[in-house]
Amino acid sequence: MPEIDIPEELSKIFSKSTRVVVLTGAGVSAESGMPTFRGEDGWWRNYRAEELATPQAFARDPKLVWEWYDMRRKIIHDCKPNPAHETITKMEKYFDNFQLITQNVDGLHRRAGNESVIELHGNLWRVRCVEEGKIFDFEEVPLKEIPPVCSCGALIRPDVVWFGEMLPRDQLDAAFEAAQTCEVIFVVGTSGIVQPAASIPIMAKQSGALLIEVNLEPTPISTFADHSFLGKAGEVMPKLWKFIKVRI
Ligand code: OAD
C-alpha cells in the first residue's frame, strides 16, 4: 500500500478532550475475514436480502433465516479483531469524550475492547423471543437446533434490525446526540447508503464537526468529507492514529 498522505493540519485539531465519534460499517471487519454486504463477495451480491433479512422472511421460513445467521456466526466466531478495531479501542482509551457508533452486528468492536459502543443494527450474539420479547445473549456456535427456541417454547430471532424495521430508539437518539455534539467524526468502512446511519456523518458535519473518512473507495459521504483516506481500514487507521498520537 502506498504511504498515505496525512495533512499536517490534522495534527493541530486533537487534544485529549476533543469530542470524537467513530462511525463504522462492514468494511472495518473485512480484514478480519467477514464479508461486507455490497463488496465484490458481499452478502447482497450472492443472497437476496428480502429472503433473509426481513420480518416477512423469518415468518415464512425461520429455518432458512437461521441457517444464514448460523453460517455468519460461525465465520465471526473464527474471526479476530484487526488493527482497525484495535486502533479504535486505543482511541476510546485515549479520548475523554469518545463514542463509537457501529452498523455492524458482529460484536468485534466489543471483543477488541471498546465499551462505549452504540449498535445501531443490533447484535447477532443476542436473540429475542418472538412471544415474550425477552432479549438475551445466545452464543451457541454452531447451533444445535435450527431454528432455535426459547425456554417458553416459542421461536427466538436474532436481535438485529431487519429491512423494514425501526432502529432501536435509544441507540439512534444517542447516536444523533453524539453526532451533533462531536468535534471530529471518523467514518470507517461504510458505503454510506443505508439510512438513517448514513445521515449521521452529515449531521455531525452540519453541526460543525470535522469529517474524516476511511474507505477503499469514494462513497456518497466523500463529498462532505474534510479528509478522505483511500485504503484498507486495518492499514490506514493505525497510521492515522500514530500520526495524531505523536503530535497531541
Ligand atoms: P457495505 O457492504 O454496504 O459497505 C462496506 C464499505 O466498506 C464499502 O464502502 C467498501 O468500499 C468498504 N470497505 C470494504 N473493505 C474495506 C476495508 N478493508 N477497509 C476500508 N473500507 C472497506 O456495508 P455497510 O455500509 O456496513 O444492514 O452496510 C450498511 C448496512 O447495510 C449494514 O449494517 C446492513 C446492510 O444491509 C443491516 O443489516 C440492517
Side-chain angles (χ1 to χ4, degrees):
M1 181 194 163
E3 274 305 303
I4 53 164
D5 189 14
I6 306 175
E8 195 58 40
E9 65 193 79
L10 256 188
S11 65
K12 303 200 180 81
I13 301 157
F14 293 93
S15 72
K16 210 168 158 34
S17 60
T18 307
R19 295 188 297 278
V20 173
V21 164
V22 177
L23 170 71
T24 62
V28 85
S29 296
E31 289 154 80
S32 294
M34 189 62 194
T36 62
F37 292 93
R38 296 173 183 81
E40 254 173 53
D41 288 320
W43 294 112
W44 302 150
R45 296 283 177 112
N46 301 307
Y47 294 87
R48 288 162 60 88
E50 59 272 30
E51 282 170 13
L52 296 169
T54 63
Q56 294 79 3
F58 188 70
R60 196 167 48 235
D61 195 344
K63 185 164 179 286
L64 177 74
V65 172
W66 263 115
E67 278 166 355
W68 185 59
Y69 278 96
D70 190 38
M71 175 173 69
R72 288 174 64 199
R73 284 161 58 111
K74 279 185 226 160
I75 297 173
I76 300 162
H77 182 261
D78 296 338
C79 285
K80 283 205 239 355
N82 67 57
H85 296 108
E86 285 156 13
T87 301
I88 297 168
T89 306
K90 286 180 192 157
M91 291 168 80
E92 174 169 338
K93 289 207 171 88
Y94 185 79
F95 292 113
D96 296 334
N97 198 322
F98 177 90
Q99 183 63 61
L100 173 59
I101 306 170
T102 188
Q103 297 164 85
N104 298 346
V105 297
D106 57 28
L108 284 176
H109 284 303
R110 284 189 196 278
R111 231 200 277 171
N114 280 104
E115 289 174 7
S116 184
V117 191
I118 294 173
E119 291 176 322
L120 284 179
H121 295 164
N123 185 311
L124 51 59
W125 300 108
R126 270 196 324 259
V127 291
R128 189 174 351 133
C129 171
V130 298
E131 278 300 317
E132 305 166 315
K134 190 173 69 179
I135 293 172
F136 52 97
D137 292 339
F138 185 63
E139 297 185 351
E140 186 180 284
V141 181
L143 291 171
K144 291 195 189 93
E145 181 188 15
I146 297 184
V149 291
C150 180
S151 54
C152 77
L155 283 178
I156 49 178
R157 57 162 280 179
D159 188 29
V160 300
V161 177
W162 282 329
F163 289 101
E165 293 186 321
M166 303 286 283
L167 274 66
R169 191 70 248 177
D170 58 332
Q171 302 288 290
L172 190 58
D173 286 347
F176 284 168
E177 163 81 17
Q180 282 162 345
T181 53
C182 70
E183 292 164 278
V184 182
I185 183 165
F186 290 81
V187 183
V188 187
T190 177
S191 56
I193 55 175
V194 174
Q195 293 293 356
S199 64
I200 288 171
I202 316 300
M203 195 179 271
K205 175 84 186 167
Q206 283 170 345
S207 305
L210 186 91
L211 201 173
I212 300 170
E213 187 185 38
V214 177
N215 200 302
L216 283 183
E217 57 191 24
T219 73
I221 294 168
S222 310
T223 331
F224 303 91
D226 295 284
H227 302 280
S228 273
F229 296 102
L230 295 183
K232 292 183 176 178
E235 295 174 3
V236 176
M237 287 301 285
K239 282 184 188 159
L240 265 180
W241 180 238
K242 195 171 161 208
F243 174 88
I244 291 165
K245 188 68 176 46
V246 295
R247 285 166 173 79
I248 292 177

